Amino acid sequence: MAKSIDVSDVNIYYGDFLAVEGVNMTIRAKSVTAFIGPSGCGKSTVLRSLNRMHEVIPGARVEGKIVVDGQDLYAPEVDPVAVRRQVGMVFQRPNPFPTMSIYENVISGLRLNSKRMNKSTADGVVEKSLRGANLWNEVKDRLNKPGAGLSGGQQQRLCIARAIAVQPDVLLMDEPCSALDPISTSAIEDLIHELKSDYTIVIVTHNMQQAARVSDETGFFNLKATGEPGRLVEFNPTKKMFSNPDESATEAYISGRFG
Ligand code: ADP
């Protein structure tokens, strides 16, 4: 089930360095939210705070509240591993496990989470996930071949299949198309559009046209100067953001006068 995410008063540190300050937003369920803004303003840092990936860096921490389905992800009793299952992630460079087959790649998250699964259940999950990632028809006759043998765009869809196989509520995508050619990019954008009927999706993109094409809502992040913390300047429906933003800094950024 797709879930909304409530972010309140979030500050994010790398050691003593306050990288992002005072983030408040509500990410709607079953919608696509894009994070845009100049490099270094904290988009990826905020994204990684949404599934507790940020804190795997030594000294890194998050202050504030991030609530999914009534549960603060940072409450002391919450297991970060369970959070990462609930909130899946797809990275900039497709990263299938190179020595594993396509089949094993898709099922790998489930094998970790539940040791025993019979063959027909596993087959069902693999087919459903690959269909969900619009990859089934291209790979159904070579499921036992290595994932590394696929094209970049296919590998990225394989990573999306792997992420959805564990049935997360939320999918985070950190510049998922930046290593892909335009045709593969377009396939991923179509897929994002389809996936939002089942998942809450948050995507970081440096490509404003992509944000405008795929997202329902957009967050614009910015920072005053290097060394200053990044801030969420504006969060609005994408249509409004790109036609009539509330903030002059957003207007300057999207019109290309800055960043
Ligand atoms: P964006 O995604 O908008 O380009 P990032 O979230 O990557 O921005 O970075 C935000 C700030 O945090 C930058 O100042 C960056 O240098 C810093 N930062 C990012 N990753 C690390 C890290 N692993 N250790 C220390 N500082 C980091």
Side-chain angles (χ1 to χ4, degrees):
M1 261 304 286
K3 303 277 164 60
S4 61
I5 309 172
D6 278 311
V7 176
S8 352
D9 298 329
V10 162
N11 299 324
I12 313 177
Y13 292 85
Y14 291 96
D16 293 336
F17 175 55
L18 176 58
V20 183
E21 186 173 46
V23 177
N24 288 283
M25 66 185 154
T26 297
I27 294 167
R28 280 196 299 122
K30 295 195 180 190
S31 69
V32 179
T33 298
F35 291 170
I36 62 167
S39 186
C41 64
K43 304 178 295 294
S44 299
T45 299
V46 172
L47 192 75
R48 289 194 298 264
S49 74
L50 302 179
N51 74 342
R52 298 194 60 170
M53 284 277 288
H54 175 70
E55 70 207 48
V56 303
I57 297 161
R61 66 194 170 87
V62 175
E63 289 174 355
K65 267 191 171 182
I66 298 179
V67 177
V68 178
D69 195 27
Q71 172 72 63
D72 180 4
L73 302 185
Y74 286 89
E77 70 277 12
V78 171
D79 173 8
V81 176
V83 171
R84 289 172 207 139
R85 191 160 59 226
Q86 184 188 10
V87 184
M89 188 144 183
V90 174
F91 299 88
Q92 193 167 358
R93 298 219 153 255
N95 59 349
F97 300 116
T99 58
M100 278 186 195
S101 67
I102 293 168
Y103 186 102
E104 288 294 330
N105 261 286
V106 176
I107 209 79
S108 57
L110 281 172
R111 285 266 151 84
L112 282 175
N113 289 323
S114 59
K115 283 148 248 113
R116 295 196 147 267
M117 192 186 339
N118 67 37
K119 175 86 167 77
S120 71
T121 308
D123 287 353
V125 169
V126 168
E127 178 169 346
K128 184 165 180 256
S129 307
L130 287 168
R131 283 190 187 281
N134 284 346
L135 188 59
W136 174 250
N137 287 336
E138 289 158 69
V139 300
K140 63 177 189 292
D141 300 322
R142 48 170 165 157
L143 293 176
N144 294 316
K145 296 271 171 18
L150 299 173
S151 73
Q154 290 172 327
Q155 287 187 24
Q156 195 59 300
R157 280 178 284 144
L158 177 60
C159 293
I160 293 172
R162 179 176 67 189
I164 62 181
V166 298
Q167 298 188 291
D169 300 319
V170 179
L171 269 183
L172 308 177
M173 299 184 169
D174 195 350
E175 299 197 18
C177 302
S178 63
L180 304 181
D181 62 80
I183 291 172
S184 304
T185 295
S186 166
I188 300 281
E189 289 182 3
D190 289 347
L191 177 57
I192 290 170
H193 199 74
E194 288 169 26
L195 289 171
K196 79 170 178 181
S197 54
D198 293 314
Y199 303 95
T200 302
I201 297 175
V202 187
I203 176 174
V204 168
T205 177
H206 63 257
N207 178 331
M208 281 189 280
Q209 283 77 24
Q210 178 167 71
R213 283 193 299 264
V214 302
S215 73
D216 302 293
E217 277 164 322
T218 298
F220 169 58
F221 289 83
N222 202 359
L223 77 181
K224 289 206 175 76
T226 315
E228 294 278 316
R231 290 174 169 278
L232 177 63
V233 172
E234 178 165 352
F235 188 88
N236 257 322
T238 299
K239 278 207 178 74
K240 173 169 171 55
M241 197 79 144
F242 284 94
S243 58
N244 180 26
D246 288 331
E247 301 295 328
S248 57
T250 314
E251 166 84 52
Y253 183 72
I254 61 173
S255 64
R257 278 187 278 125
F258 156 81

